[in-house]
Amino acid sequence: MSEAREAPYVTMQRMLGLDNVQLDPNRPYPPIMQPIIAAVRARGNVLAAIEGVVRGFGFSEFLFGSTAAHHPNSAKSAKPLSGITPVWALINAPLAWAQEYVNFGFIEVDPRVQGVIDSALPVYWDQSLQGSSENLDRFLQRASQYGIRSGVSYLIPSPDRFGCIAAYSSDRPFLDDVSKGLLMQHEASLLSFGTYCHELLVRQMVRRGARPLVPGVSFTQREREILRITAGGATNEDAAKSLRISERTVQAHMDTIRLKLKAATRSEALLLAERAGLIDFPK
């Protein structure tokens, strides 16, 4: 690997905290994970090791993503959640593309993400999606500039309530029936590899507080307490008594919460916060 390619990897690896990954010494790992396990134990280049395996599948780019929201975007929501919920991503794409992805809110149209929202089946995508919508066309055009033109993505099972995916991309503009047939032969391995990478790497990133790709909305401790209490149906008076503060203070915090979530009403703020994984409504 060239020095020009190595430098961004080192930066990304440190930013994601991959230098501090801990492995269970008693757990067996499948052969496909051995290069990654070796890199972790040697405190080596984990991203390069993952890329080596991914290239063996015929892809050049990988994305293992995790978000607190079950659905990053949905017709059920009055507003997109891309600016509300944090999104963590383990990627080998250039940092410039990652920043552009965030700035333009591409998560809301990314076929790799949107395709697995309502289906557990693999999602195959390519440039034939051009013309579906203006925003999707913009994503396809910009992603293509970074060599991301087609691929396949999978929903990753997770014990967390987070939504997780594994996506593999290449610079081939179209996937014909022969290409899809070859990919289908490797579906089990691709899914297994993504699941292990998510469990061993991404979940540890989230737990250690690694910087998310999309920061999302942050709340103060007091705001979180008020969200938690009011999510159960408590009034401002109830929250004030529980927290031993004035109703006016509770209302001020609720106003700040609504502004952060860009919600018109208290009910909308609670709905958005719940859908973004920021609070849990009592069952």
Side-chain angles (χ1 to χ4, degrees):
M1 180 178 294
S2 67
E3 292 184 4
R5 185 64 168 155
E6 179 79 12
Y9 268 7
V10 171
T11 300
M12 178 69 78
Q13 180 150 319
R14 289 175 179 169
M15 183 178 75
L16 297 176
L18 296 180
D19 292 329
N20 300 311
V21 171
Q22 301 296 319
L23 297 175
D24 182 350
N26 298 316
R27 174 181 289 277
Y29 299 101
I32 198 173
M33 288 299 297
Q34 292 311 310
I36 288 76
I37 301 303
V40 169
R41 287 174 173 165
R43 294 293 185 260
N45 195 323
V46 178
L47 292 174
I50 296 174
E51 184 177 280
V53 174
V54 169
R55 287 188 178 278
F57 286 123
F59 297 99
S60 55
E61 191 261 359
F62 62 82
L63 162 67
F64 304 121
S66 182
T67 174
H70 291 295
H71 299 271
N73 190 24
S74 170
K76 298 177 183 178
S77 173
K79 289 182 173 65
L81 298 180
S82 61
I84 296 176
T85 183
V87 176
W88 289 266
L90 186 61
I91 59 176
N92 66 329
L95 291 174
W97 166 240
Q99 189 60 58
E100 191 170 337
Y101 190 92
V102 173
N103 292 342
F104 286 94
F106 281 145
I107 191 173
E108 294 161 21
V109 295
D110 186 344
R112 301 173 299 180
V113 177
Q114 296 302 316
V116 300
I117 284 179
D118 295 313
S119 175
L121 298 177
V123 173
Y124 295 90
W125 68 279
D126 60 21
Q127 298 300 302
S128 65
L129 294 174
Q130 286 279 0
S132 300
S133 74
E134 183 178 344
N135 289 336
L136 178 55
D137 286 352
R138 183 180 297 113
F139 166 82
L140 294 172
Q141 179 184 23
R142 294 308 305 156
S144 182
Q145 299 299 311
Y146 293 93
I148 301 172
R149 300 185 177 98
S150 68
V152 60
S153 60
Y154 301 81
L155 184 68
I156 297 296
S158 173
D160 298 320
R161 69 186 302 271
F162 285 14
C164 310
I165 70 165
Y168 307 94
S169 305
S170 76
D171 60 0
R172 298 189 299 274
F174 299 101
L175 295 175
D176 56 23
D177 291 341
V178 174
S179 298
K180 290 179 181 178
L182 291 174
L183 290 177
M184 289 179 184
Q185 294 179 21
H186 295 294
E187 277 188 357
S189 295
L190 287 167
L191 179 58
S192 174
F193 185 67
T195 301
Y196 270 91
C197 285
H198 172 264
E199 180 68 20
L200 299 180
L201 304 175
V202 180
R203 285 190 76 198
Q204 288 200 39
M205 285 166 44
V206 176
R207 289 170 176 171
R208 288 196 307 271
R211 184 191 307 175
L213 178 66
V214 178
V217 171
S218 63
F219 293 113
T220 65
Q221 180 62 33
R222 180 64 81 190
E223 289 167 353
R224 287 186 175 277
E225 290 173 341
I226 290 174
L227 276 171
R228 176 180 54 79
I229 294 171
T230 54
T235 64
N236 283 1
E237 181 181 3
D238 295 331
K241 290 180 179 178
S242 176
L243 298 173
R244 298 183 179 180
I245 57 179
S246 70
E247 286 187 58
R248 180 175 296 180
T249 299
V250 172
Q251 185 59 52
H253 283 303
M254 284 301 304
D255 289 341
T256 300
I257 290 169
R258 286 195 301 103
L259 286 173
K260 287 182 177 181
L261 294 172
K262 297 181 176 60
T265 65
R266 170 198 181 105
S267 296
E268 184 184 15
L270 291 173
L271 176 61
L272 288 171
E274 192 274 337
R275 288 201 59 250
L278 302 174
I279 59 174
D280 289 312
F281 281 125
K283 305 301 182 184

